């Protein structure tokens, strides 16, 4: 099977069909609350706990972290029903736990996820799914053999706003796509306060290559996942540069990166991530021959090609409610498209619950997560080795 056919068919099969094996029959009954354990109760893990508590049919049954103060913070948010663990392997022995949410440092995702699948747990694994081409393949193989739900934490893949944007693109809203321009800029050193110097690497793990994939894995991965989704493909090759050029503080991961991917049909996608300038913050531009869609965290604008007369109305531009938009052009961005939706992280967790009940793999699954993880690893290799990295040379499946 050709690579492009594999990408399309593999993604569609996982997103639209029952779990890989008949083991789906062993899932918790729909009328029983799903017990989720949060492994890693730092900023992200603890930040997701309130969402879980708001979602009917799920609850945080346990928290696990190797740092005492973070474990206590997670437990405080989870509530009195949550058990405490400092060793995730002991947690996996608990038969009352149905699923785990893995929000530990990037380099530990794969090992924990593999152990969780072996223990018979469903897995929600924060982005990026794992690192290294062979570990990515191990994750895919283990998920397919387990019959369990595996969702990757690219929450924008669950966003109903982003789903609507993909629908508009597929309907030809902006014509033939030629380019994506993506950025995630901040003016911040990306560091967390450290109560004791001995905890520097444990707390600021994003700064150190032993634990982190840097900006490509922690930020750009969301947007890479989106481009894969829209194009229904994976990149053919990537080139890029990065450096530690601004924050001279002992970090090992780059403080700025610039990537260029080529996708099938000549589509180019650029990704810029800065920590020294926050202009325009997070943004994705999808550029076609009929117009441009501009996305931020929770809004989208349509910028038509060929000009726009603000005195005229444009019917049905939102593609959802059929509302007519008049005289609300935003300079530099175009026409805002109104759309109501849940917080993407909360929606992703709701999707995880629904997948466990239905036995149908989520839209952000082990294949889509694996493809994004490969593309991220390609970018890291391209920057580190100062070379063009081709998908055909590195993809393990």
């Amino acid at each position: 099977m050709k690579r492009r056919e594999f990408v399309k068919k593999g993604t569609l099969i996982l997103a639209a069909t029952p779990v890989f094996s008949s083991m789906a029959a062993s899932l918790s009954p729909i009328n029983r609350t799903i017990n989720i354990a949060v492994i890693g109760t730092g900023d992200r893990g603890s930040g997701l706990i309130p969402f879980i508590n708001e979602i009917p049919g799920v609850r945080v049954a346990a928290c696990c972290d190797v740092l005492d103060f973070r474990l206590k913070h997670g437990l405080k948010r989870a509530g009195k029903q949550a058990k405490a663990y400092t060793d995730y392997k002991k947690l996996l022995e608990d038969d009352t736990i149905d699923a785990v949410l893995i929000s530990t440092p990037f380099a530990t995702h794969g090992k924990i996820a593999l152990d969780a699948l072996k223990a018979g747990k469903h897995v929600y694994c924060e982005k990026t799914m794992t690192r290294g081409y062979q570990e990515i393949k191990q994750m895919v193989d283990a998920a397919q053999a387990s019959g369990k739900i595996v969702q990757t934490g690219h929450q924008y893949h669950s966003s109903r706003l982003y789903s609507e944007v993909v629908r508009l693109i597929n309907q030809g809203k902006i014509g033939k796509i030629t380019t994506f321009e993506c950025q995630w800029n901040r003016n911040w050193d990306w560091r967390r306060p450290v109560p004791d110097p001995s905890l520097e690497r444990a707390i600021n793990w994003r700064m150190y290559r032993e634990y982190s994939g840097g900006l490509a894995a922690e930020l750009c991965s969301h947007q890479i996942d989106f481009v894969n989704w829209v194009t229904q493909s994976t990149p053919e090759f990537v080139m890029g540069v990065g450096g530690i050029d601004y924050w001279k503080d002992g970090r090992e991961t780059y403080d700025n990166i610039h990537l260029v991917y080529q996708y099938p049909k000549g589509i180019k996608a650029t990704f810029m991530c800065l920590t020294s300038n926050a202009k325009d913050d997070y943004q994705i531009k999808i550029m076609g021959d009929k117009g441009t869609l501009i996305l931020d965290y929770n809004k989208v604008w349509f910028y038509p090609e060929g000009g726009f007369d603000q005195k005229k109305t444009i019917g049905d531009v939102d593609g959802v409610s059929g509302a007519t938009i008049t005289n609300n052009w935003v300079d530099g961005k175009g026409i805002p498209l109104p759309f109501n939706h849940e917080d993407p992280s909360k929606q992703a967790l709701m999707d995880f619950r629904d997948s466990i009940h239905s036995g149908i793999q989520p839209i952000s699954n082990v294949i889509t997560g694996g493809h994004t993880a490969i593309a991220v690893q390609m970018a890291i290799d391209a920057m580190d080795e100062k070379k063009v990295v081709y998908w055909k040379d590195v993809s393990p499946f």
Side-chain angles (χ1 to χ4, degrees):
M1 185 181 294
K2 293 182 180 178
R3 179 180 68 92
R4 185 169 173 80
E5 293 174 347
F6 171 80
V7 171
K8 284 186 177 180
K9 292 181 180 179
T11 301
L12 289 172
I13 288 170
L14 279 174
T17 61
V19 183
F20 304 106
S21 79
S22 60
M23 290 177 67
S26 67
L27 299 175
S28 303
I30 291 177
N31 62 354
R32 186 168 78 79
T33 297
I34 297 169
N35 289 323
I36 297 179
V38 178
I39 302 176
T41 50
D43 291 345
R44 182 60 176 168
S46 292
L48 292 174
I49 288 173
F51 285 136
I52 297 173
N53 289 339
E54 293 172 3
I55 298 171
V58 296
R59 70 168 184 164
V60 178
C63 292
C64 180
D65 204 288
V66 296
L67 298 179
D68 182 65
F69 72 95
R70 282 190 165 166
L71 179 56
K72 288 179 179 177
H73 181 58
L75 290 169
K76 183 178 180 180
R77 288 195 162 193
K80 294 181 180 180
Q81 79 283 351
K83 302 175 185 178
Y85 291 90
T86 56
D87 183 346
Y88 81 86
K89 291 184 179 180
K90 292 293 184 182
L91 179 153
L92 295 177
E93 294 173 0
D94 187 342
D95 292 336
T96 68
I97 300 298
D98 301 303
V100 297
L101 187 158
I102 301 169
S103 51
T104 56
F106 170 49
T108 65
H109 288 180
K111 172 61 174 169
I112 297 173
L114 289 168
D115 287 343
L117 289 169
K118 187 176 180 180
K121 313 300 184 186
H122 304 290
V123 173
Y124 184 108
C125 184
E126 269 298 332
K127 55 81 190 136
T128 297
M129 189 174 81
T130 190
R131 73 174 178 182
Y133 304 113
Q134 291 310 309
E135 194 163 273
I136 294 166
K137 185 177 188 302
Q138 289 174 10
M139 276 278 293
V140 172
D141 291 345
Q144 290 176 330
S146 73
K148 294 298 179 180
I149 297 297
V150 177
Q151 182 166 330
T152 52
H154 294 289
Q155 67 266 18
Y156 296 106
H157 215 137
S158 288
S159 165
R160 299 307 187 249
L161 171 67
Y162 277 50
S163 296
E164 177 61 18
V165 167
V166 174
R167 189 184 71 83
L168 291 174
I169 291 170
N170 290 338
Q171 288 184 341
K173 182 73 174 178
I174 60 173
K176 180 181 178 181
I177 295 174
T178 57
T179 304
F180 293 80
E181 291 184 359
C182 308
Q183 68 170 64
W184 202 331
N185 292 340
R186 298 172 171 182
N187 195 334
W188 176 41
D189 63 5
W190 212 18
R191 286 189 172 277
R192 271 69 174 176
V194 178
D196 185 282
S198 66
L199 299 177
E200 163 62 19
R201 294 175 75 86
I203 292 175
N204 285 310
W205 58 269
R206 291 175 181 84
M207 307 289 105
Y208 302 101
R209 287 175 174 257
E210 179 182 357
Y211 310 104
S212 174
L215 297 169
E218 294 302 313
L219 297 180
C220 292
S221 58
H222 286 297
Q223 297 172 327
I224 294 168
D225 183 73
F226 178 74
V227 176
N228 289 353
W229 180 15
V230 171
T231 62
Q232 298 183 53
S233 67
T234 54
E236 295 174 338
F237 63 83
V238 61
M239 59 189 79
V241 292
I244 305 172
D245 304 306
Y246 187 81
W247 300 105
K248 305 297 185 178
D249 57 1
R251 72 183 61 205
E252 299 168 1
T253 56
Y254 300 135
D255 63 24
N256 71 97
I257 63 173
H258 307 259
L259 307 171
V260 180
Y261 287 85
Q262 173 149 311
Y263 280 79
K265 299 181 180 179
I267 295 173
K268 309 298 189 296
T270 64
F271 301 85
M272 175 175 64
C273 197
L274 307 178
T275 57
S276 58
N277 186 298
K279 179 69 170 68
D280 294 330
D281 192 14
Y282 172 101
Q283 183 172 267
I284 300 174
K285 289 183 180 178
I286 312 108
M287 308 175 78
D289 56 8
K290 294 181 180 178
T292 299
L293 288 168
I294 302 175
L295 271 164
D296 68 11
Y297 299 105
N298 51 29
K299 296 178 182 176
V300 60
W301 294 264
F302 172 58
Y303 194 103
E305 286 291 293
F308 174 67
D309 186 348
Q310 297 188 43
K311 295 180 180 179
K312 295 181 179 180
T313 63
I314 297 208
D316 298 338
V317 296
D318 69 353
V320 181
S321 64
T324 298
I325 310 300
T326 309
N327 296 330
N328 55 356
W329 179 272
V330 177
D331 286 342
K333 288 189 173 180
I335 308 159
L337 307 185
F339 191 71
N340 296 320
H341 57 97
E342 285 279 6
D343 179 282
S345 293
K346 183 177 180 180
Q347 185 65 63
L349 292 165
M350 293 167 66
D351 289 351
F352 184 52
R353 173 202 61 189
D354 295 345
S355 288
I356 291 173
H357 283 323
S358 70
I360 297 175
Q361 289 293 334
I363 188 173
S364 184
N365 52 63
V366 72
I367 292 293
T368 64
H371 287 161
T372 300
I374 292 169
V376 166
Q377 189 64 54
M378 287 169 63
I380 293 170
D381 293 347
M383 291 185 289
D384 289 350
E385 300 172 25
K386 296 179 173 57
K387 68 178 186 180
V388 179
V389 178
Y390 292 83
W391 179 279
K392 63 181 176 62
D393 294 334
V394 299
S395 176
F397 59 88

